[in-house]
Amino acid sequence: MRDSLFKDEKGIAMVVVLGVMLILTTLAFAAVAISENELVSSSHDRDSTEALHIAEAGVQKALWQLEQFGNSMNPKTFTITVNGGTAEVNAVQDMGQNWYWTVESTGTYGNAHRKIKVTVFNFSMWNMNIATGSNKSLASGGNGILGTASVDGPFYVRGNVELSGNSAITGGPLFIKTGSLVLLNNSATLGLPGSPISAYIEPSGNNGDIVDKDGLRILDNPNQSQVFLSQLSNQCPDIEVPPMDSMESYRNIAKSESSVPPLPSTYYRDTYVSVDPNISGGYKVLDDDGSVAMGDVDLRHTYHLDSSVSNFGSSTCGIGWDTSGGSKKLHVMGTVYVDGNLVIGDSKNDTVVYDGRGTLIVNGNITIRGKLIPASAGVMDSAHVLGLVTNEEITADVQHCGGTGRDNPDIAGALFAAKKVSLVQNNTTFVGSMIAGTLNFAYGTNNCHLYTDDSLPSFLPPSLPGSTKFMAMTASWREAK
């Protein structure tokens, strides 16, 4: 009996041992399988992450090309290799709104694929009117626009924009960063019935995007009849305006283009240097003391281009002034540096006609008295376009005496003022681009009129900040299927 029981116990023990071994073997295989799955999953996650980074690199490449070449970007479809993977990129321009692009980038790494879709605003800075604050642009603090004006064409403002009277914003697109569009009466409009506008308005706090004088959102009123939109977004890109170079660098550019001029040395003095034979010569540095330092604005010499100044220079010089025959003609070619304040014209009823393709870099304030228009029938082109650049303020005092259309401007050109551009008379009509910390139209009771010129970026004069690149501002960035 004992032997039988012993044999039974040995048999049971064997079964138990075999069962335990089977369980351990199963667990081992399971552990190996889990480990392999984790390795595969980890490898896939790594590949997926790499594919996303590669897709992002493709987007960045497309944005760089848009900043360099704008609408002439070519090719629009391309492939790049990054860290052992590839990104296939396709940039598509909206035919209805040629400043609006969609960029798709598919990153591939191993067996993983990730796609990113980005919408982009692409402009030359000089195809817009811009008024904005903070360190990312020009001035510091405050709203970008004071008073009211009618604007036709791309317009970017940091802060509130108020429209009253018959003011209108047309053409577009309109960009408002951290502010609202305030329509103060029923006559002020955004867009036109047959030409709706794209608006990108990012209000501050809990404020509405398009509101009436009481702060009530106009689009919530079913009876509203003054807003005509093709698109409204509450996301507005954060524009970065390039700063001016140092005054010394502008001065050196002007000196490098200068030659001995027929100018009165008692009025304009500086060192004469040789001129590149490929550049129209002339005297291009106006300086009474040879100093490069900015100094106090109130102590700067003020240069006048008006009837009190004798004729000098010619159409072959860097800068020329001609008052013969009772008219006032200004010639500017290339880069001209003015160390001090500059006054152009005698009075608000005056007219100064300019020719040449040049830029006045002014180390002080600029005052425009009267009309300032190109010689080519008031229309800017590659032979007649003027840039005015200052790290201070530009003030225009002109008596408007014509229609308000873009074909009859009071002032035409490319204006850059680090602090402020002010139009001090009613109904002043401007064609071109103004870029400033603040656009001030608060003096008059009637509106000023700003018109951008779509062709201006194709014939900009030299030395304008940001003139050699385009802005690529992302509107949305998301992963696509």
Side-chain angles (χ1 to χ4, degrees):
M1 177 68 73
R2 288 179 179 177
D3 290 341
S4 177
L5 290 172
F6 181 72
K7 290 179 179 178
D8 290 343
E9 290 176 354
K10 288 179 63 178
I12 292 171
M14 181 63 72
V15 171
V16 172
V17 169
L18 291 173
V20 170
M21 291 179 64
L22 180 61
I23 292 172
L24 291 175
T25 301
T26 302
L27 291 174
F29 277 114
V32 170
I34 291 172
S35 177
E36 288 180 347
N37 286 336
E38 288 180 347
L39 287 173
V40 171
S41 177
S42 175
S43 177
H44 183 271
D45 288 345
R46 181 200 64 198
D47 290 355
S48 181
T49 300
E50 287 293 329
L52 181 63
H53 292 329
I54 291 168
E56 290 173 340
V59 169
Q60 293 299 334
K61 174 68 173 180
L63 294 178
W64 180 86
Q65 292 193 166
L66 284 171
E67 288 177 347
Q68 300 300 315
F69 307 110
N71 291 346
S72 61
M73 169 186 173
N74 191 40
K76 298 178 176 61
T77 299
F78 57 89
T79 301
I80 62 172
T81 301
V82 182
N83 296 332
T86 59
E88 296 180 0
V89 184
N90 184 32
V92 179
Q93 183 180 21
D94 189 311
M95 292 298 99
Q97 304 173 114
N98 58 14
W99 40 265
Y100 192 77
W101 289 70
T102 300
V103 177
E104 288 188 348
S105 176
T106 301
T108 299
Y109 188 87
N111 293 321
H113 307 278
R114 301 284 289 273
K115 178 187 288 187
I116 294 175
K117 186 174 183 178
V118 179
T119 54
V120 184
F121 305 109
N122 184 236
F123 289 98
S124 164
M125 186 175 72
W126 290 100
N127 191 220
M128 307 179 73
N129 286 298
I130 300 176
T132 183
S134 86
N135 293 331
K136 288 192 174 182
S137 49
L138 300 166
S140 58
N143 288 343
I145 185 169
L146 302 174
T148 65
S150 292
V151 182
D152 183 55
F155 189 35
Y156 187 104
V157 177
R158 188 182 300 273
N160 291 336
V161 176
E162 296 182 346
L163 297 183
S164 64
N166 293 317
S167 294
I169 295 179
T170 56
L174 168 66
F175 301 97
I176 298 179
K177 184 72 173 179
T178 60
S180 302
L181 176 64
V182 185
L183 304 180
L184 297 176
N185 55 43
N186 293 331
S187 298
T189 58
L190 176 65
L192 297 171
S195 301
I197 191 172
S198 296
Y200 303 86
I201 303 174
E202 187 176 312
S204 60
N206 296 320
N207 296 327
D209 40 28
I210 305 174
V211 301
D212 61 19
K213 59 183 177 61
D214 298 317
L216 300 177
R217 190 170 185 266
I218 287 178
L219 296 181
D220 292 335
N221 180 357
N223 296 319
Q224 74 83 19
S225 60
Q226 58 193 125
V227 177
F228 306 95
L229 295 170
S230 58
Q231 180 179 2
L232 174 63
S233 172
N234 289 142
Q235 291 185 326
C236 180
D238 200 1
I239 193 173
E240 294 187 25
V241 174
M244 293 178 61
D245 292 336
S246 69
M247 284 296 154
E248 184 173 7
S249 67
Y250 290 119
R251 180 191 180 101
N252 288 337
I253 292 171
K255 288 179 66 174
S256 71
E257 298 178 5
S258 298
S259 63
V260 178
L263 300 181
S265 59
T266 55
Y267 194 79
Y268 305 110
R269 299 200 303 270
D270 201 90
T271 303
Y272 303 144
V273 296
S274 61
V275 64
D276 185 324
N278 296 318
I279 300 176
S280 295
Y283 191 53
K284 297 189 177 184
V285 177
L286 279 58
D287 186 2
D288 66 335
D289 61 8
S291 172
V292 180
M294 289 175 59
D296 192 313
V297 176
D298 295 332
L299 299 179
R300 292 174 181 160
H301 184 86
T302 298
Y303 295 90
H304 291 265
L305 295 173
D306 55 29
S307 57
S308 68
V309 180
S310 300
N311 297 347
F312 63 84
S314 67
S315 60
T316 61
C317 289
I319 181 170
W321 179 247
D322 181 5
T323 60
S324 59
S327 62
K328 297 180 177 67
K329 299 177 183 178
L330 171 63
H331 177 82
V332 180
M333 183 66 74
T335 300
V336 176
Y337 177 79
V338 181
D339 187 32
N341 302 315
L342 177 66
V343 177
I344 303 173
D346 285 277
S347 71
K348 64 182 181 181
N349 297 309
D350 207 357
T351 297
V352 175
V353 175
Y354 66 79
D355 67 3
R357 182 169 174 260
T359 300
L360 292 166
I361 307 291
V362 180
N363 189 20
N365 293 313
I366 300 174
T367 302
I368 303 169
R369 293 176 177 164
K371 286 191 172 188
L372 182 62
I373 55 176
S376 47
V379 178
M380 293 181 292
D381 57 29
S382 59
H384 306 287
V385 59
L386 178 65
L388 297 177
V389 177
T390 177
N391 47 18
E392 298 293 339
E393 300 183 5
I394 298 175
T395 301
D397 183 8
V398 51
Q399 180 64 54
H400 179 74
C401 57
T404 58
R406 62 173 63 242
D407 57 343
N408 186 26
D410 298 307
I411 300 172
L415 277 55
F416 185 103
K419 294 182 179 178
K420 182 167 59 178
V421 173
S422 298
L423 304 182
V424 302
Q425 297 292 336
N426 298 341
N427 285 319
T428 301
T429 299
F430 171 82
V431 173
S433 290
M434 292 183 184
I435 299 174
T438 300
L439 297 181
N440 186 359
F441 315 121
Y443 291 91
T445 57
N446 296 319
N447 299 320
C448 296
H449 307 273
L450 310 183
Y451 298 91
T452 56
D453 184 336
D454 291 340
S455 61
L456 177 60
S458 66
F459 51 76
L460 285 170
S463 296
L464 292 176
S467 61
T468 59
K469 292 185 178 181
F470 296 82
M471 296 183 295
M473 305 176 289
T474 55
S476 66
W477 186 300
R478 64 182 177 85
E479 187 169 3
K481 298 295 186 181

